[in-house]
Amino acid sequence: MGDKCVILVTGGTGLVGQAIKTIADGEEKRPNEEWYFASSKDADLSDREATEKLFERVKPTHVIHLAAMVGGLFRNLKYNLDFYRTNTLINDNVLNASFKNGVKKVVSCLSTCIFPDKTTYPIDETMVHNGPPHDSNFGYSFSKRMIDVLNRAYNKQHGCQFTSVIPTNVFGPYDNFNLEDGHVLPGLINKIYCAKRDNTPFTVWGTGSPRRQFIYSLDLARLMIWVLRDYPEIDPIILSVGEEDEVSIKEAAEAVIEAMEFKGEVKFDTTKSDGQFKKTASNAKLRKYRPDFKFTPFKQAVKESCNWFEANYETLRK
Ligand code: NAP
Ligand code: GDP
């Protein structure tokens, strides 16, 4: 990426897109790179014509493809069909427009929740297509798996450099803090904020025993920029903290309780779904390429996210 390049980030206004903006405009700023962070207002990427117009206007040389219908366990449980159809359309439109416009490299985003539910651990990059995903989010998962199929097919038939990353659960500033739609960490932050304000108990959904590896959005952004510039493979790469850094939902809740100095009653609503018990992923491939990469300590990242939430409460998604 030595020459002048124009990098289009689809889904540029979301959690991951805004983290990439922070890093690309800051510590990773390069004079030859021009970044364009697109929202759904720039183009509805499930619409082919709108997608093609966006590419004609921006003329990207590189694409980080984040745009997607995204949600936590409870949104997925309700809308498997919409997750499948919307994301399949978006992915086909973005990759086809990238091909037709001669984009040099595309990095798309999969997720560790797309891996088979019945599996051996740790999960690695070779296992994406091994067996059915967890039933709670099969629509999202199958459409995401097809990105890997498209990447390999564009490469084999046309020599395109289209690849993908597989992040674990992401959290940070600009997250979706809506309780119905969002993921667990922003949900916990929002619920503790309300419990503190209203002097009510804080309720964790489910048993608290499922386990997750959380990655801070700014760490993910650093790694995705590296993937765009330097990762040479078409095959995906898992972007995750180590297996030893996996925590239970209960431990994640305790980290938020500590960060927000919540002193009230904590309850568990076991009538709510636990979802997938775990999806422990190996970051051995990442460590082979980036042995020295330092992840932000979990408690520090949670604290920074809580601070951002409190400072931006009036305007954030909730
Ligand atoms: P997010 O905060 O919900 O942001 C979603 C982005 O996609 C927004 O910029 C949104 O634009 C855009 N978008 C949605 N529908 C669109 C459409 N029809 N046309 C154009 N743009 C559209 O999501 P995120 O957490 O940053 O996720 C980014 C990527 O990471 C996704 O591909 C997701 O699957 C993946 N991922 C996320 C997680 C996680 O824990 N969050 C974990 C693994 C992988 P508007 O702002 O205009 O609505
Ligand atoms: P997942 O990692 O794809 O399953 O999605 P989530 O980020 O939504 O995490 C779901 C896990 O967190 C399940 O075990 C839920 O029972 C648990 N959980 C506890 N409280 C909440 C909450 O407020 N919101 C969400 N989304 N999940 C919660």
Side-chain angles (χ1 to χ4, degrees):
M1 293 183 63
D3 303 336
K4 183 178 181 319
C5 34
V6 177
I7 304 153
L8 169 65
V9 181
T10 72
T13 44
L15 164 67
V16 181
Q18 287 298 294
I20 291 177
K21 187 168 195 297
T22 302
I23 302 298
D25 284 351
E27 63 191 55
E28 284 294 335
K29 195 169 178 62
R30 289 195 182 168
N32 65 319
E33 290 179 354
E34 186 186 312
W35 292 77
Y36 189 99
F37 293 86
S39 79
S40 62
K41 290 185 195 76
D42 289 283
D44 174 0
L45 298 173
S46 64
D47 180 302
R48 174 153 301 232
E49 216 178 299
T51 307
E52 286 178 354
K53 280 198 180 128
L54 177 72
F55 274 72
E56 278 160 28
R57 189 154 56 81
V58 177
K59 299 190 174 36
T61 57
H62 296 73
V63 172
I64 293 184
H65 172 40
L66 305 173
M69 181 174 176
V70 180
L73 169 63
F74 297 94
R75 190 178 191 204
N76 274 277
L77 281 168
K78 275 200 263 176
Y79 301 113
N80 267 295
L81 176 65
D82 294 354
F83 271 98
Y84 181 79
R85 293 193 67 225
T86 306
N87 288 336
T88 300
L89 287 170
I90 291 178
N91 298 334
D92 191 49
N93 289 341
V94 169
L95 291 183
N96 192 246
S98 298
F99 164 61
K100 289 210 280 202
N101 287 274
V103 168
K104 291 182 188 152
K105 185 164 179 180
V106 180
V107 179
S108 300
C109 218
L110 313 184
S111 164
T112 49
C113 59
I114 74 168
F115 281 108
D117 183 40
K118 298 200 174 20
T119 183
T120 52
Y121 298 101
I123 295 164
D124 69 40
E125 291 84 352
T126 65
M127 296 154 91
V128 169
H129 303 285
N130 273 4
H134 193 262
D135 205 43
S136 57
N137 59 11
F138 68 92
Y140 175 83
S141 297
F142 277 118
S143 74
K144 285 281 183 187
R145 287 183 185 189
M146 289 307 117
I147 291 181
D148 178 59
V149 173
L150 286 168
N151 286 348
R152 281 192 283 145
Y154 273 111
N155 180 258
K156 277 217 164 350
Q157 204 171 319
H158 298 295
C160 297
Q161 192 71 20
F162 295 174
T163 188
S164 62
V165 299
I166 312 182
T168 49
N169 288 53
V170 190
F171 69 101
Y174 302 94
D175 212 334
N176 182 359
F177 294 88
N178 182 283
L179 293 185
E180 296 288 312
D181 292 349
H183 288 95
V184 55
L185 259 173
L188 297 174
I189 293 172
N190 192 355
K191 284 194 280 191
I192 293 189
Y193 179 88
C194 296
K196 261 178 88 172
R197 184 193 58 197
D198 304 336
N199 205 13
T200 52
F202 157 51
T203 306
V204 181
W205 292 343
T207 60
S209 55
R211 302 184 67 76
R212 298 287 184 267
Q213 285 154 300
F214 290 99
I215 181 166
Y216 190 34
S217 58
L218 294 168
D219 290 338
L220 177 59
R222 293 177 178 106
L223 289 171
M224 287 195 72
I225 291 171
W226 161 74
V227 168
L228 181 75
R229 290 173 181 162
D230 293 319
Y231 176 66
E233 300 182 32
I234 301 302
D235 286 341
I237 180 166
I238 291 172
L239 302 181
S240 173
V241 299
E243 291 153 61
E244 66 286 0
D245 293 317
E246 186 176 57
V247 295
S248 68
I249 298 297
K250 182 167 180 280
E251 287 163 335
E254 284 162 359
V256 183
I257 288 171
E258 188 183 320
M260 297 185 85
E261 297 174 8
F262 177 69
K263 307 272 185 261
E265 185 188 353
V266 181
K267 291 179 162 179
F268 289 83
D269 180 353
T270 54
T271 64
K272 293 266 192 187
S273 171
D274 264 348
Q276 194 164 8
F277 179 66
K278 64 176 187 175
K279 35 193 175 178
T280 318
S282 162
N283 69 359
K285 187 176 190 179
L286 172 65
R287 282 306 182 199
K288 188 181 75 146
Y289 282 104
R290 299 292 309 268
D292 299 327
F293 183 82
K294 294 228 171 355
F295 287 95
T296 310
F298 181 58
K299 283 190 176 178
Q300 181 189 329
V302 167
K303 180 74 186 152
E304 287 176 17
S305 305
C306 294
N307 290 349
W308 186 89
F309 175 86
E310 287 174 332
N312 294 277
Y313 186 74
E314 292 311 321
T315 51
L316 50 77
R317 282 184 286 173
K318 59 181 178 291

PDB file of all heavy atoms in Angstrom, residues 273-295:
ATOM      1  N   SER A 273     -32.490 -16.824  27.815  1.00  0.00           N
ATOM      2  CA  SER A 273     -31.591 -17.788  27.167  1.00  0.00           C
ATOM      3  C   SER A 273     -30.117 -17.516  27.507  1.00  0.00           C
ATOM      4  O   SER A 273     -29.704 -16.360  27.648  1.00  0.00           O
ATOM      5  CB  SER A 273     -31.777 -17.703  25.652  1.00  0.00           C
ATOM      6  OG  SER A 273     -30.805 -18.460  25.003  1.00  0.00           O
ATOM      7  N   ASP A 274     -29.355 -18.602  27.626  1.00  0.00           N
ATOM      8  CA  ASP A 274     -27.892 -18.505  27.772  1.00  0.00           C
ATOM      9  C   ASP A 274     -27.202 -18.439  26.412  1.00  0.00           C
ATOM     10  O   ASP A 274     -26.029 -18.094  26.318  1.00  0.00           O
ATOM     11  CB  ASP A 274     -27.366 -19.760  28.496  1.00  0.00           C
ATOM     12  CG  ASP A 274     -27.205 -19.537  29.988  1.00  0.00           C
ATOM     13  OD1 ASP A 274     -27.282 -18.376  30.438  1.00  0.00           O
ATOM     14  OD2 ASP A 274     -26.995 -20.537  30.707  1.00  0.00           O
ATOM     15  N   GLY A 275     -27.916 -18.860  25.358  1.00  0.00           N
ATOM     16  CA  GLY A 275     -27.282 -18.930  24.029  1.00  0.00           C
ATOM     17  C   GLY A 275     -26.214 -20.005  23.994  1.00  0.00           C
ATOM     18  O   GLY A 275     -26.261 -20.972  24.769  1.00  0.00           O
ATOM     19  N   GLN A 276     -25.237 -19.805  23.107  1.00  0.00           N
ATOM     20  CA  GLN A 276     -24.143 -20.776  22.956  1.00  0.00           C
ATOM     21  C   GLN A 276     -23.313 -20.784  24.232  1.00  0.00           C
ATOM     22  O   GLN A 276     -23.009 -19.716  24.768  1.00  0.00           O
ATOM     23  CB  GLN A 276     -23.293 -20.326  21.767  1.00  0.00           C
ATOM     24  CG  GLN A 276     -22.334 -21.351  21.265  1.00  0.00           C
ATOM     25  CD  GLN A 276     -21.820 -21.000  19.866  1.00  0.00           C
ATOM     26  OE1 GLN A 276     -22.075 -19.914  19.347  1.00  0.00           O
ATOM     27  NE2 GLN A 276     -21.087 -21.919  19.274  1.00  0.00           N
ATOM     28  N   PHE A 277     -22.928 -21.968  24.731  1.00  0.00           N
ATOM     29  CA  PHE A 277     -22.201 -21.991  25.996  1.00  0.00           C
ATOM     30  C   PHE A 277     -20.812 -21.359  25.842  1.00  0.00           C
ATOM     31  O   PHE A 277     -20.407 -20.509  26.630  1.00  0.00           O
ATOM     32  CB  PHE A 277     -22.078 -23.414  26.561  1.00  0.00           C
ATOM     33  CG  PHE A 277     -21.305 -23.419  27.853  1.00  0.00           C
ATOM     34  CD1 PHE A 277     -21.821 -22.792  28.984  1.00  0.00           C
ATOM     35  CD2 PHE A 277     -20.043 -23.983  27.920  1.00  0.00           C
ATOM     36  CE1 PHE A 277     -21.093 -22.739  30.176  1.00  0.00           C
ATOM     37  CE2 PHE A 277     -19.315 -23.939  29.103  1.00  0.00           C
ATOM     38  CZ  PHE A 277     -19.845 -23.316  30.233  1.00  0.00           C
ATOM     39  N   LYS A 278     -20.085 -21.766  24.837  1.00  0.00           N
ATOM     40  CA  LYS A 278     -18.787 -21.117  24.583  1.00  0.00           C
ATOM     41  C   LYS A 278     -18.397 -21.290  23.133  1.00  0.00           C
ATOM     42  O   LYS A 278     -18.989 -22.111  22.404  1.00  0.00           O
ATOM     43  CB  LYS A 278     -17.706 -21.665  25.508  1.00  0.00           C
ATOM     44  CG  LYS A 278     -17.373 -23.126  25.324  1.00  0.00           C
ATOM     45  CD  LYS A 278     -16.225 -23.520  26.227  1.00  0.00           C
ATOM     46  CE  LYS A 278     -15.766 -24.933  25.949  1.00  0.00           C
ATOM     47  NZ  LYS A 278     -14.585 -25.315  26.724  1.00  0.00           N
ATOM     48  N   LYS A 279     -17.439 -20.507  22.687  1.00  0.00           N
ATOM     49  CA  LYS A 279     -16.940 -20.593  21.308  1.00  0.00           C
ATOM     50  C   LYS A 279     -15.429 -20.306  21.345  1.00  0.00           C
ATOM     51  O   LYS A 279     -14.921 -19.532  20.527  1.00  0.00           O
ATOM     52  CB  LYS A 279     -17.694 -19.624  20.396  1.00  0.00           C
ATOM     53  CG  LYS A 279     -18.106 -18.316  21.062  1.00  0.00           C
ATOM     54  CD  LYS A 279     -19.110 -17.528  20.239  1.00  0.00           C
ATOM     55  CE  LYS A 279     -19.593 -16.304  20.983  1.00  0.00           C
ATOM     56  NZ  LYS A 279     -20.526 -15.456  20.275  1.00  0.00           N
ATOM     57  N   THR A 280     -14.776 -20.918  22.319  1.00  0.00           N
ATOM     58  CA  THR A 280     -13.352 -20.645  22.591  1.00  0.00           C
ATOM     59  C   THR A 280     -12.501 -20.780  21.329  1.00  0.00           C
ATOM     60  O   THR A 280     -12.449 -21.842  20.716  1.00  0.00           O
ATOM     61  CB  THR A 280     -12.818 -21.641  23.639  1.00  0.00           C
ATOM     62  OG1 THR A 280     -13.798 -21.803  24.652  1.00  0.00           O
ATOM     63  CG2 THR A 280     -11.499 -21.150  24.216  1.00  0.00           C
ATOM     64  N   ALA A 281     -11.858 -19.675  20.962  1.00  0.00           N
ATOM     65  CA  ALA A 281     -11.114 -19.637  19.702  1.00  0.00           C
ATOM     66  C   ALA A 281      -9.607 -19.549  19.971  1.00  0.00           C
ATOM     67  O   ALA A 281      -9.167 -18.939  20.948  1.00  0.00           O
ATOM     68  CB  ALA A 281     -11.571 -18.432  18.889  1.00  0.00           C
ATOM     69  N   SER A 282      -8.845 -20.131  19.068  1.00  0.00           N
ATOM     70  CA  SER A 282      -7.381 -20.083  19.162  1.00  0.00           C
ATOM     71  C   SER A 282      -6.874 -18.836  18.435  1.00  0.00           C
ATOM     72  O   SER A 282      -7.310 -18.559  17.308  1.00  0.00           O
ATOM     73  CB  SER A 282      -6.795 -21.321  18.494  1.00  0.00           C
ATOM     74  OG  SER A 282      -5.427 -21.106  18.205  1.00  0.00           O
ATOM     75  N   ASN A 283      -5.937 -18.109  19.053  1.00  0.00           N
ATOM     76  CA  ASN A 283      -5.319 -17.007  18.308  1.00  0.00           C
ATOM     77  C   ASN A 283      -3.888 -17.367  17.876  1.00  0.00           C
ATOM     78  O   ASN A 283      -3.065 -16.483  17.650  1.00  0.00           O
ATOM     79  CB  ASN A 283      -5.385 -15.688  19.078  1.00  0.00           C
ATOM     80  CG  ASN A 283      -4.501 -15.664  20.311  1.00  0.00           C
ATOM     81  OD1 ASN A 283      -3.830 -16.644  20.641  1.00  0.00           O
ATOM     82  ND2 ASN A 283      -4.477 -14.532  20.992  1.00  0.00           N
ATOM     83  N   ALA A 284      -3.634 -18.681  17.720  1.00  0.00           N
ATOM     84  CA  ALA A 284      -2.274 -19.126  17.353  1.00  0.00           C
ATOM     85  C   ALA A 284      -1.832 -18.548  15.999  1.00  0.00           C
ATOM     86  O   ALA A 284      -0.673 -18.158  15.836  1.00  0.00           O
ATOM     87  CB  ALA A 284      -2.220 -20.648  17.322  1.00  0.00           C
ATOM     88  N   LYS A 285      -2.764 -18.474  15.040  1.00  0.00           N
ATOM     89  CA  LYS A 285      -2.380 -17.937  13.720  1.00  0.00           C
ATOM     90  C   LYS A 285      -2.007 -16.459  13.843  1.00  0.00           C
ATOM     91  O   LYS A 285      -0.999 -16.017  13.292  1.00  0.00           O
ATOM     92  CB  LYS A 285      -3.542 -18.112  12.741  1.00  0.00           C
ATOM     93  CG  LYS A 285      -3.209 -17.744  11.304  1.00  0.00           C
ATOM     94  CD  LYS A 285      -4.411 -18.047  10.401  1.00  0.00           C
ATOM     95  CE  LYS A 285      -4.084 -17.940   8.945  1.00  0.00           C
ATOM     96  NZ  LYS A 285      -5.252 -18.262   8.093  1.00  0.00           N
ATOM     97  N   LEU A 286      -2.823 -15.717  14.600  1.00  0.00           N
ATOM     98  CA  LEU A 286      -2.503 -14.296  14.826  1.00  0.00           C
ATOM     99  C   LEU A 286      -1.137 -14.163  15.500  1.00  0.00           C
ATOM    100  O   LEU A 286      -0.320 -13.325  15.114  1.00  0.00           O
ATOM    101  CB  LEU A 286      -3.590 -13.653  15.698  1.00  0.00           C
ATOM    102  CG  LEU A 286      -3.299 -12.231  16.180  1.00  0.00           C
ATOM    103  CD1 LEU A 286      -3.223 -11.258  15.008  1.00  0.00           C
ATOM    104  CD2 LEU A 286      -4.363 -11.768  17.185  1.00  0.00           C
ATOM    105  N   ARG A 287      -0.882 -15.014  16.492  1.00  0.00           N
ATOM    106  CA  ARG A 287       0.385 -14.942  17.234  1.00  0.00           C
ATOM    107  C   ARG A 287       1.585 -15.298  16.359  1.00  0.00           C
ATOM    108  O   ARG A 287       2.688 -14.804  16.592  1.00  0.00           O
ATOM    109  CB  ARG A 287       0.326 -15.848  18.469  1.00  0.00           C
ATOM    110  CG  ARG A 287      -0.471 -15.231  19.624  1.00  0.00           C
ATOM    111  CD  ARG A 287       0.068 -13.865  19.961  1.00  0.00           C
ATOM    112  NE  ARG A 287      -0.607 -13.219  21.076  1.00  0.00           N
ATOM    113  CZ  ARG A 287      -0.542 -11.905  21.294  1.00  0.00           C
ATOM    114  NH1 ARG A 287       0.110 -11.102  20.472  1.00  0.00           N
ATOM    115  NH2 ARG A 287      -1.142 -11.380  22.336  1.00  0.00           N
ATOM    116  N   LYS A 288       1.343 -16.123  15.328  1.00  0.00           N
ATOM    117  CA  LYS A 288       2.436 -16.457  14.396  1.00  0.00           C
ATOM    118  C   LYS A 288       2.845 -15.192  13.628  1.00  0.00           C
ATOM    119  O   LYS A 288       4.021 -14.912  13.448  1.00  0.00           O
ATOM    120  CB  LYS A 288       1.950 -17.540  13.430  1.00  0.00           C
ATOM    121  CG  LYS A 288       3.032 -18.108  12.538  1.00  0.00           C
ATOM    122  CD  LYS A 288       2.481 -19.149  11.589  1.00  0.00           C
ATOM    123  CE  LYS A 288       1.718 -18.503  10.493  1.00  0.00           C
ATOM    124  NZ  LYS A 288       1.562 -18.823   9.214  1.00  0.00           N
ATOM    125  N   TYR A 289       1.854 -14.401  13.209  1.00  0.00           N
ATOM    126  CA  TYR A 289       2.144 -13.163  12.460  1.00  0.00           C
ATOM    127  C   TYR A 289       2.525 -12.008  13.376  1.00  0.00           C
ATOM    128  O   TYR A 289       3.347 -11.178  13.021  1.00  0.00           O
ATOM    129  CB  TYR A 289       0.912 -12.737  11.655  1.00  0.00           C
ATOM    130  CG  TYR A 289       0.675 -13.507  10.389  1.00  0.00           C
ATOM    131  CD1 TYR A 289      -0.316 -14.478  10.312  1.00  0.00           C
ATOM    132  CD2 TYR A 289       1.425 -13.238   9.238  1.00  0.00           C
ATOM    133  CE1 TYR A 289      -0.552 -15.156   9.128  1.00  0.00           C
ATOM    134  CE2 TYR A 289       1.197 -13.921   8.059  1.00  0.00           C
ATOM    135  CZ  TYR A 289       0.203 -14.879   7.999  1.00  0.00           C
ATOM    136  OH  TYR A 289      -0.023 -15.552   6.831  1.00  0.00           O
ATOM    137  N   ARG A 290       1.848 -11.916  14.520  1.00  0.00           N
ATOM    138  CA  ARG A 290       2.022 -10.743  15.399  1.00  0.00           C
ATOM    139  C   ARG A 290       2.334 -11.182  16.839  1.00  0.00           C
ATOM    140  O   ARG A 290       1.548 -10.949  17.758  1.00  0.00           O
ATOM    141  CB  ARG A 290       0.736  -9.890  15.402  1.00  0.00           C
ATOM    142  CG  ARG A 290       0.323  -9.313  14.060  1.00  0.00           C
ATOM    143  CD  ARG A 290       1.281  -8.247  13.550  1.00  0.00           C
ATOM    144  NE  ARG A 290       1.544  -7.219  14.547  1.00  0.00           N
ATOM    145  CZ  ARG A 290       0.866  -6.082  14.675  1.00  0.00           C
ATOM    146  NH1 ARG A 290      -0.135  -5.828  13.868  1.00  0.00           N
ATOM    147  NH2 ARG A 290       1.184  -5.189  15.590  1.00  0.00           N
ATOM    148  N   PRO A 291       3.527 -11.820  17.051  1.00  0.00           N
ATOM    149  CA  PRO A 291       3.807 -12.360  18.384  1.00  0.00           C
ATOM    150  C   PRO A 291       3.833 -11.291  19.479  1.00  0.00           C
ATOM    151  O   PRO A 291       3.552 -11.592  20.635  1.00  0.00           O
ATOM    152  CB  PRO A 291       5.186 -13.018  18.217  1.00  0.00           C
ATOM    153  CG  PRO A 291       5.748 -12.492  16.934  1.00  0.00           C
ATOM    154  CD  PRO A 291       4.595 -12.096  16.080  1.00  0.00           C
ATOM    155  N   ASP A 292       4.122 -10.039  19.109  1.00  0.00           N
ATOM    156  CA  ASP A 292       4.301  -9.007  20.141  1.00  0.00           C
ATOM    157  C   ASP A 292       3.076  -8.114  20.343  1.00  0.00           C
ATOM    158  O   ASP A 292       3.131  -7.176  21.137  1.00  0.00           O
ATOM    159  CB  ASP A 292       5.502  -8.115  19.779  1.00  0.00           C
ATOM    160  CG  ASP A 292       6.770  -8.937  19.704  1.00  0.00           C
ATOM    161  OD1 ASP A 292       6.880  -9.925  20.473  1.00  0.00           O
ATOM    162  OD2 ASP A 292       7.629  -8.625  18.851  1.00  0.00           O
ATOM    163  N   PHE A 293       1.979  -8.376  19.618  1.00  0.00           N
ATOM    164  CA  PHE A 293       0.820  -7.469  19.750  1.00  0.00           C
ATOM    165  C   PHE A 293       0.294  -7.498  21.182  1.00  0.00           C
ATOM    166  O   PHE A 293       0.080  -8.560  21.762  1.00  0.00           O
ATOM    167  CB  PHE A 293      -0.303  -7.856  18.775  1.00  0.00           C
ATOM    168  CG  PHE A 293      -1.458  -6.896  18.834  1.00  0.00           C
ATOM    169  CD1 PHE A 293      -1.413  -5.705  18.125  1.00  0.00           C
ATOM    170  CD2 PHE A 293      -2.574  -7.159  19.629  1.00  0.00           C
ATOM    171  CE1 PHE A 293      -2.460  -4.792  18.205  1.00  0.00           C
ATOM    172  CE2 PHE A 293      -3.629  -6.254  19.713  1.00  0.00           C
ATOM    173  CZ  PHE A 293      -3.574  -5.067  18.997  1.00  0.00           C
ATOM    174  N   LYS A 294       0.094  -6.287  21.745  1.00  0.00           N
ATOM    175  CA  LYS A 294      -0.378  -6.200  23.132  1.00  0.00           C
ATOM    176  C   LYS A 294      -1.844  -5.807  23.163  1.00  0.00           C
ATOM    177  O   LYS A 294      -2.218  -4.734  22.684  1.00  0.00           O
ATOM    178  CB  LYS A 294       0.426  -5.143  23.903  1.00  0.00           C
ATOM    179  CG  LYS A 294       1.879  -5.515  24.092  1.00  0.00           C
ATOM    180  CD  LYS A 294       2.364  -5.330  25.517  1.00  0.00           C
ATOM    181  CE  LYS A 294       3.747  -5.910  25.765  1.00  0.00           C
ATOM    182  NZ  LYS A 294       4.398  -6.659  24.710  1.00  0.00           N
ATOM    183  N   PHE A 295      -2.694  -6.665  23.741  1.00  0.00           N
ATOM    184  CA  PHE A 295      -4.113  -6.345  23.907  1.00  0.00           C
ATOM    185  C   PHE A 295      -4.274  -5.444  25.123  1.00  0.00           C
ATOM    186  O   PHE A 295      -3.556  -5.586  26.117  1.00  0.00           O
ATOM    187  CB  PHE A 295      -4.922  -7.627  24.107  1.00  0.00           C
ATOM    188  CG  PHE A 295      -5.072  -8.429  22.842  1.00  0.00           C
ATOM    189  CD1 PHE A 295      -4.204  -9.474  22.558  1.00  0.00           C
ATOM    190  CD2 PHE A 295      -6.070  -8.134  21.925  1.00  0.00           C
ATOM    191  CE1 PHE A 295      -4.333 -10.215  21.392  1.00  0.00           C
ATOM    192  CE2 PHE A 295      -6.205  -8.861  20.757  1.00  0.00           C
ATOM    193  CZ  PHE A 295      -5.335  -9.912  20.485  1.00  0.00           C
TER     194      PHE A 295
END
